[in-house]
Amino acid sequence: MSDSTFAARKDWRVADLSMAPFGRKEMLLAEHEMPGLMALREEYGDSKPLAGARISGSLHMTIQTAVLIETLTALGAEVRWASCNIFSTQDHAAAAVVVGPNGTVDEPAGVPVYAWKGETLEEYWWCTDQMMTWPDAADGTTYDGPNMILDDGGDATMLLHKGVEFEKAGEVPDPTEASSAEFAIVLGLLQRTLKSDPGKWTRMASHIKGVTEETTTGVHRLYKMMEEGELIFPAINVNDSVTKSKFDNLYGCRHSLVDSISRATDVMIGGKTALVLGYGDVGKGCVQSLQGQGARVIVTEIDPINALQAAMEGLQVLPLEDCIDEVDIFVTATGNFNLITIDHMKQMKHNAIVCNIGHFDNEIDMAGLARSGATRDELKPGTDVWKFDDGKQIIVLAEGRLVNLGCATGHPSFVMSCSFTNQVLAQIELFQNTASYPLGVYVLPKHLDEKVARLHLDSLGVKLTQLTDEQAAYLDINPSGPFKPENYRY
Amino acid sequence: MSDSTFAARKDWRVADLSMAPFGRKEMLLAEHEMPGLMALREEYGDSKPLAGARISGSLHMTIQTAVLIETLTALGAEVRWASCNIFSTQDHAAAAVVVGPNGTVDEPAGVPVYAWKGETLEEYWWCTDQMMTWPDAADGTTYDGPNMILDDGGDATMLLHKGVEFEKAGEVPDPTEASSAEFAIVLGLLQRTLKSDPGKWTRMASHIKGVTEETTTGVHRLYKMMEEGELIFPAINVNDSVTKSKFDNLYGCRHSLVDSISRATDVMIGGKTALVLGYGDVGKGCVQSLQGQGARVIVTEIDPINALQAAMEGLQVLPLEDCIDEVDIFVTATGNFNLITIDHMKQMKHNAIVCNIGHFDNEIDMAGLARSGATRDELKPGTDVWKFDDGKQIIVLAEGRLVNLGCATGHPSFVMSCSFTNQVLAQIELFQNTASYPLGVYVLPKHLDEKVARLHLDSLGVKLTQLTDEQAAYLDINPSGPFKPENYRY
Amino acid sequence: MSDSTFAARKDWRVADLSMAPFGRKEMLLAEHEMPGLMALREEYGDSKPLAGARISGSLHMTIQTAVLIETLTALGAEVRWASCNIFSTQDHAAAAVVVGPNGTVDEPAGVPVYAWKGETLEEYWWCTDQMMTWPDAADGTTYDGPNMILDDGGDATMLLHKGVEFEKAGEVPDPTEASSAEFAIVLGLLQRTLKSDPGKWTRMASHIKGVTEETTTGVHRLYKMMEEGELIFPAINVNDSVTKSKFDNLYGCRHSLVDSISRATDVMIGGKTALVLGYGDVGKGCVQSLQGQGARVIVTEIDPINALQAAMEGLQVLPLEDCIDEVDIFVTATGNFNLITIDHMKQMKHNAIVCNIGHFDNEIDMAGLARSGATRDELKPGTDVWKFDDGKQIIVLAEGRLVNLGCATGHPSFVMSCSFTNQVLAQIELFQNTASYPLGVYVLPKHLDEKVARLHLDSLGVKLTQLTDEQAAYLDINPSGPFKPENYRY
Amino acid sequence: MSDSTFAARKDWRVADLSMAPFGRKEMLLAEHEMPGLMALREEYGDSKPLAGARISGSLHMTIQTAVLIETLTALGAEVRWASCNIFSTQDHAAAAVVVGPNGTVDEPAGVPVYAWKGETLEEYWWCTDQMMTWPDAADGTTYDGPNMILDDGGDATMLLHKGVEFEKAGEVPDPTEASSAEFAIVLGLLQRTLKSDPGKWTRMASHIKGVTEETTTGVHRLYKMMEEGELIFPAINVNDSVTKSKFDNLYGCRHSLVDSISRATDVMIGGKTALVLGYGDVGKGCVQSLQGQGARVIVTEIDPINALQAAMEGLQVLPLEDCIDEVDIFVTATGNFNLITIDHMKQMKHNAIVCNIGHFDNEIDMAGLARSGATRDELKPGTDVWKFDDGKQIIVLAEGRLVNLGCATGHPSFVMSCSFTNQVLAQIELFQNTASYPLGVYVLPKHLDEKVARLHLDSLGVKLTQLTDEQAAYLDINPSGPFKPENYRY
């Protein structure tokens, strides 16, 4: 479609297009901090390995994602986008993507985006549907949809699979009997498409070469679908690239945890006692973050191996119940649920700070807190003082949702550059070498994982040592890698 | 004066009184983080050791200062306040102090404040004059002024000394021949008072029992005046209390440096190379701050002792010139001037971040930068991108002024509680034991320094060990302190 | 065999049996530091899951190994032992094992050991042969050999495989044409057994249920044999248990590197510049070790992922050539060869310290050094000053062999307890569930890996948090583990 | 005296002169690690500012002290030496000093030393007397004694002062009524000299230009003598040079604490819980040492300022009683006495490690332990297992004396170079500028303190930044220092 058509048709929906110039300014700085993506533009900008790819993307619509999107287009892809979370859109980023590098606020010439901060769930799924539903066929055929999916959390993938399932069944289950309010909305949407275009999802699925999935949750869903024989196209698990899981989780949270607490509360972290629930990669990053500020840190763990790692790093490892009266700052980092119950909250110190950097807001029993009779006083957006009957109060950040998105700006660009360089390489790999990926869930080949790392070294001044041929022969590896066996843990 | 009179007379001037409720909310949380001040209210709230004290205070008008001011009044003092920096006022804090704990926005009942964010220099000295000039005599006498000064940087003290000097001389030097634009304003002000009330400053000085001074610069001025025989009332050097200089500088900057950089730029600090210029207490805090985030840190030093300390902590110590092309983040922390010249800036890496947490904005040659022909693009307040002719750009924070005040919220409450508890104890000491302090500059006696620390232990869960009498005898000290000889360095 | 027979027959060979009492004293303390092994004795001491097992073990004959050996016997096994390295035997440990818990120096009643510090290569293989060759059949049958192998580096496994191969071929290759001096010795040994007992190794192999292998090198050999179809019994790869590779390498080296350098040189590490070659688990432990002492640390890497990890931890990453003139302490930690060449050594600073904690002594070109004309002056055993023609000298530790074995006491007991608890569980698993392990190379199932960790928590005061059933259901895992997917990297 | 006379007269007494070659080898390496002393030899080797100085030195007779002694002689001094502690002599160091750089074991040509490891108290004071009593007058006069004292702990100074006091009184108090067994020995010695040469000490004192004192204890004695009017010659307090107290205590102990524990026990420190009693400079070094190895560290403190410092560094601060059952490693670092009582020891965990790095062995109640009925089993010299009636045992290092001297090799050379460079500069200062030091106790002028640091920078690769004249003027200091006000704490 031509740019002017794009603008005129309003084939996008964002909060405020006038924020685009500010977004584009931030994108310029972000590009400097995303050397992996910029290197891919340089390497592949001419060959355009994604020419012909029509990518439907569902991933937090932030400044970093904006750089990702324009990297995909620089490599030849056509792209449509929605956010994968109702709160995570940065409105100036969404606007900047719509305007594009060569457009203007009056004459946007970028990529269609459906995303704004604070969508309702109805709006969220409407956006997802718009992002999946391409207006016309860019390649001259009659097929009107994506041939690649880029997903974060698996909502786009799930919608498509459910659409196919119900089209095959010929009917959609009754939304009023859905297992959750949100799934009722999905069912409603699919009821409508089943009526308006009964072959929509099946037709779309037949053209999809595959999906590249960003996170643990989405990956978990994919493996489960694969096991149960329900997966209908191949998937690349980007989450478990070393350069994703061991960087984004660990170093991203190291950066953003204290950043979030400081922005939300201005409380001095040094000298305080903090409890980090969970010592996985996220928890490890949180511990570094807090210790770097001089906090005393205690850790909870369910897994004896992670617990032993914590102990070997000099950390005290205790159940929450054993230290609750000593702790000033509680941080959940598990992916589990109901770690901090309302009973726990009632036992905390006055003005204890409670936040979550793990996954869903149910790591802390926010629902129980709301029901408890405690009163809520919003100090500023993202910082609530909850006061109990007895006068004791606690400070809850980001309403129990991810504190680094709710109270700060999420992971910084550099670490997202690692994750997103994996995404782009995975898109190229699936799109170009489709035949090498029969139905299944794959991690990126190690040489690409190493490539992601390699593209981030220069900007940090890192200089690699080069194996001699003799050394490579001695080690029985290729002198340019891959360097490690598959089960190596880094 | 009665509260209603106070409100009606508008004996205060702040940006926006309607921000008071938000300020008072933040004060509530700050009070929790300022256990030293709250303990003093508890200990001295009944005995009111500052009854009769009329304190003119010049110190950054922040939320923490608001808690200080109300501690002084809780101890019986009357107080008037101005900020000691044209940019450092938090307007909601100023409003909250004017309204006071028992007043309302419509009927303020607090303390007179003359301060707002972004004063001109003219306004600044007008505010200082207002703060020094009490409207009438609370004690029934005809003397209309303060009997105590609480100063930060020494501007109030200087104004008073200059006033006395020129009243004695009978004339004020010509402002057009002043050594600086700012001093010309001071001379203008004193010209006017010399005309309107030729004995104003001399009369005021005769009632002053002394000044308690917060910072290095002010202290340096005091010692110099003392040496040169110009000091006219005693001073307590609060800055060199251990619980001030070794806490506020070190731990305050550890907290606020990365907080500032993150808020201003969202750049990932981990993996970057940072240069900290100066390895005094501020520099030491900066290094901890940056290393806690995973930066590689290099240090510059002029003093071989501090340089050797840095080396023993595993830091590389180099002149700026030797590493300028490796550094991503520059932080000046010296109190010196012209450390980062325009030539240095031109040699920096593209998008290098440059900030100052030392003292004045001349640690970085901001004037030279402005003259250099580089163009300035404000990304957001406090974050400017300066682009040179050749396309290279650098990111300068807070216009070269203190980055933690300009891009974040300054030192956190807890560490300011240490400093301000020293201030209050110093005010009590000078006001009550005036005779023990003949003309001179004093540090607080060690037992008070230890008291400040003691008042901050409980809230951190610290439990002291108590000397037995036998042990105290063995060590030849009092079992309740002071514990160390005067030259002990901590 | 009866104890007295054992003693009388001298079915063992160690340096000095009179050192046994000292060895047994150290074993008592080591047992306290090896809670995993002691817990296995408690758990399995009655059921004796290794009753019937005849284990031939080849692993550094240290105090920790002594505790391992007696754990195996406490679980019912019969054991014979040799060291897997000509230098690594602690003679008092070997003596203590021979004497046993209930024997005396005059009437030893322990386990046959063939090991002493400083064996020749001929002696080494003689010891290995003795360890493999059981004197008679304890179970009354006529088979005279082991049914389990416990190996470190794969020498025992290799000898047996080669024996079988040559017995099948009916002849042994000519030792004078061997690829190395050491392999010539192996061939000589096998020529002799082919003559004396042409079915020895084939018969032995047919009874072997499997081997449990301790290290990277041995594991690498096993996978290679498996790939090439040469493996003749199943193997468990103990090395890649999380509780081995991520503990022993990382935390063992963190402990032993600075310990080695201090014992060997007494040089202050703080303030020095150290270069760690390789940032794998061993390198990571070395960096922690050196930074904990205040060294500035630079790292070399060939793998971009590990290099990026180093950078994110604030480390400078450079090739050796780029920093050779700044470095005081060189530590090789790679498994590669010829990292530090004679040319490098000539360019080093005067009195630079050079050591290896990676694998073989060829990480440093010791042969080149010997040939270079430099003179060697032994300061004390393990610490040599090598002086070049030009007067410059360097200090080489442990003759380039593993510095923690050569200059200190190797890994500490606690971390070896993790590794050896894996070994014992692997022996039980292979011996009892032989059918579950068809020919192949396996890592221990995750639940056993987690069990190893669990057995080490109590002694460190670690208290785990227990999943509720609801949480386990939510996470879709068993509440008592395993807790992580197979590809989790810890 | 001529060298041959020296050798023939046996004007020295050490354990074993044949150890000298080994000692001289170690001295060569130590010289490389003592750049401050070597720089003084270079700077002053020709001008010989100590020509004419006859220095009686009492300080631990170690390899580092050997380098100090030969620096003093290289600067022109004549020297005699004794150790200041009955256990601290390194016998090969003592031998090396006696032999000297140009002597041989058969023809020693060095400095008279009276010191061996394991002196009795009688022998100790005999050695001290020998060291003070010069055989004849090197300068041709009849005075036979020192004109400078270099002291550590003040024993030499005390002996001289008591000698003078009793000569003045004409009698020595009855040794049988002495306050301690050791003082009885001193009185006995002085009784004998009073008889043999009643003017010995008075005559000696009249020639003494002053003493330079190494440690806290000695300094404390000096200030006390000064206060009480008993001091008879000026003293320089070397201990409180910044480059001594903030380096030797802090970085020396960081190095030597884990070194001591490892050599004594081989126990893994990572994962253990350690309690450091006292958070002064020594305690701070201990905490770094233990945390660098991955221990969890708790601290005890009596001083609220130090306690608050500990908390701000993320440390838990508790009385011993509150955590005794969690602690694996106890380290006293106070200078106080009876911190760990026999009751505490009985409550410790089985196999807890107990050691002292503070001052005297009474920090731990060793006498009480000996009386308690516990049995002692020496594992190796310096490592004792004490078993109580109930079977519980603890491991006590170095018999409660300084663990880094008893179980390792004390502070490393580099940090001692800082301390000893202060000593040499103090000797020069007092000897050359005697008139500038009227009776009193002085710290070294700051410019010399800075010089000590400066002499240690090159070898660590540290490059200073040089102040411009404009900057120096701005800071109102000399561009080459001193850089800080007197009360600066570093």
Side-chain angles (χ1 to χ4, degrees), chain A residues 240-359:
Chain A
D240 288 313
S241 289
V242 185
T243 48
K244 204 276 182 181
S245 66
K246 297 283 275 190
F247 285 81
D248 169 329
N249 289 336
L250 183 59
Y251 300 119
C253 293
R254 178 177 69 185
H255 178 98
S256 59
L257 178 63
V258 297
D259 189 25
S260 305
I261 296 173
S262 291
R263 294 195 202 208
T265 70
D266 285 321
V267 158
M268 185 160 200
I269 294 165
K272 296 287 193 302
T273 299
L275 181 71
V276 175
L277 295 101
Y279 195 64
D281 286 322
V282 169
K284 285 175 171 103
C286 292
V287 168
Q288 276 196 30
S289 194
L290 294 160
Q291 286 189 324
Q293 278 296 316
R296 174 188 160 218
V297 183
I298 309 174
V299 159
T300 72
E301 250 304 332
I302 58 166
D303 183 328
I305 297 179
N306 293 259
L308 191 56
Q309 287 185 308
M312 296 309 284
E313 297 293 347
L315 295 161
Q316 200 173 6
V317 184
L318 290 177
L320 171 57
E321 290 75 11
D322 286 26
C323 57
I324 194 164
D325 55 351
E326 298 178 54
V327 174
D328 301 296
I329 302 171
F330 294 83
V331 182
T332 56
T334 68
N336 196 351
F337 91 119
N338 213 20
L339 283 104
I340 296 185
T341 66
I342 182 66
D343 282 344
H344 293 147
M345 291 186 249
K346 287 181 178 169
Q347 295 168 54
M348 288 175 181
K349 289 169 75 169
H350 186 60
N351 280 335
I353 294 170
V354 182
C355 65
N356 167 40
I357 197 167
H359 199 199

Side-chain angles (χ1 to χ4, degrees), chain D residues 138-246:
Chain D
D139 58 2
T141 74
T142 58
Y143 166 63
D144 60 342
N147 51 19
M148 294 292 296
I149 298 176
L150 190 160
D151 213 351
D152 179 328
D155 278 356
T157 303
M158 185 270 277
L159 181 66
L160 179 47
H161 276 74
K162 287 294 165 193
V164 170
E165 178 186 338
F166 300 150
E167 287 176 358
K168 196 168 171 193
E171 67 172 342
V172 176
D174 182 356
T176 64
E177 292 178 13
S179 57
S180 73
E182 181 165 7
F183 197 55
I185 292 168
V186 174
L187 293 177
L189 187 161
L190 290 175
Q191 275 185 334
R192 290 190 296 277
T193 66
L194 187 64
K195 197 171 292 177
S196 63
D197 179 0
K200 168 175 179 166
W201 303 106
T202 306
R203 189 172 64 249
M204 191 186 295
S206 74
H207 288 82
I208 298 288
K209 290 169 179 280
V211 59
T212 59
E213 167 58 48
E214 179 79 5
T215 61
T216 315
T217 321
V219 162
H220 188 75
R221 284 182 179 182
L222 288 168
Y223 283 112
K224 195 135 192 179
M225 283 194 285
M226 185 63 199
E227 265 174 43
E228 298 176 358
E230 295 172 354
L231 193 68
I232 52 184
F233 41 73
I236 290 187
N237 162 1
V238 167
N239 181 67
D240 288 313
S241 288
V242 185
T243 48
K244 202 277 181 180
S245 65
K246 297 283 272 191

Side-chain angles (χ1 to χ4, degrees), chain C residues 94-408:
Chain C
V97 170
V98 169
V99 165
N102 303 312
T104 65
V105 173
D106 294 327
E107 193 79 6
V111 160
V113 174
Y114 295 84
W116 55 94
K117 189 175 180 73
E119 300 159 0
T120 65
L121 285 172
E122 274 286 358
E123 290 168 340
Y124 172 77
W125 286 100
W126 176 84
C127 287
T128 303
D129 187 29
Q130 295 302 309
M131 173 272 296
M132 296 290 277
T133 310
W134 292 53
D136 55 28
D139 59 2
T141 75
T142 57
Y143 166 63
D144 60 342
N147 50 20
M148 294 291 296
I149 297 177
L150 191 159
D151 213 351
D152 179 327
D155 278 355
T157 303
M158 184 270 274
L159 181 66
L160 179 45
H161 276 74
K162 287 293 166 195
V164 170
E165 179 186 337
F166 301 150
E167 287 176 359
K168 197 167 169 191
E171 66 172 342
V172 175
D174 182 356
T176 64
E177 294 177 11
S179 57
S180 73
E182 181 166 6
F183 196 56
I185 292 168
V186 174
L187 293 176
L189 188 161
L190 291 175
Q191 276 184 331
R192 290 191 296 277
T193 65
L194 187 65
K195 196 170 295 179
S196 62
D197 178 0
K200 169 176 178 165
W201 303 106
T202 307
R203 190 170 64 248
M204 192 187 294
S206 73
H207 288 81
I208 298 288
K209 290 168 180 281
V211 58
T212 60
E213 167 58 47
E214 179 77 7
T215 60
T216 315
T217 320
V219 162
H220 188 75
R221 285 182 178 184
L222 286 169
Y223 282 112
K224 195 135 194 179
M225 282 195 283
M226 184 63 200
E227 266 175 42
E228 298 176 357
E230 295 173 356
L231 193 68
I232 52 184
F233 40 74
I236 290 187
N237 162 2
V238 166
N239 181 66
D240 288 313
S241 288
V242 186
T243 49
K244 204 277 181 180
S245 65
K246 296 282 273 192
F247 285 80
D248 169 328
N249 289 337
L250 182 59
Y251 300 119
C253 294
R254 178 177 68 185
H255 178 98
S256 58
L257 178 63
V258 295
D259 189 25
S260 304
I261 296 173
S262 291
R263 294 194 202 208
T265 70
D266 284 320
V267 158
M268 187 160 199
I269 295 165
K272 296 287 192 302
T273 299
L275 180 71
V276 175
L277 296 101
Y279 195 63
D281 286 320
V282 169
K284 286 174 171 104
C286 292
V287 168
Q288 276 196 29
S289 195
L290 294 159
Q291 286 189 324
Q293 278 297 315
R296 171 184 163 222
V297 183
I298 309 173
V299 159
T300 72
E301 251 304 334
I302 57 165
D303 182 328
I305 297 179
N306 293 258
L308 191 56
Q309 287 185 309
M312 297 309 283
E313 297 293 347
L315 295 161
Q316 199 173 7
V317 184
L318 292 175
L320 171 57
E321 289 75 13
D322 286 27
C323 57
I324 195 163
D325 55 350
E326 300 178 53
V327 174
D328 302 294
I329 302 172
F330 294 83
V331 182
T332 56
T334 67
N336 196 351
F337 91 119
N338 212 19
L339 283 105
I340 296 184
T341 66
I342 182 67
D343 281 344
H344 293 147
M345 290 185 251
K346 287 180 177 170
Q347 295 168 54
M348 289 176 182
K349 290 170 74 169
H350 186 60
N351 280 336
I353 294 170
V354 182
C355 65
N356 166 39
I357 197 167
H359 199 199
F360 290 123
D361 61 354
N362 59 359
E363 303 212 4
I364 303 160
D365 183 10
M366 292 305 298
L369 179 59
R371 280 192 309 267
S372 72
T375 59
R376 169 181 168 189
D377 183 15
E378 185 186 68
L379 192 68
K380 55 185 168 183
T383 310
D384 292 315
V385 177
W386 287 84
K387 184 178 281 193
F388 293 100
D389 286 349
D390 60 0
K392 209 255 301 286
Q393 62 191 30
I394 62 173
I395 302 171
V396 179
L397 306 189
E399 304 179 35
R401 285 189 292 270
L402 290 176
V403 71
N404 55 351
L405 288 171
C407 294

Side-chain angles (χ1 to χ4, degrees), chain A residues 14-31:
Chain A
V14 299
D16 180 359
L17 209 57
S18 73
M19 300 169 83
F22 175 50
R24 298 227 55 99
K25 243 190 231 182
E26 288 216 341
M27 281 179 69
L28 272 181
L29 290 183
E31 286 173 0

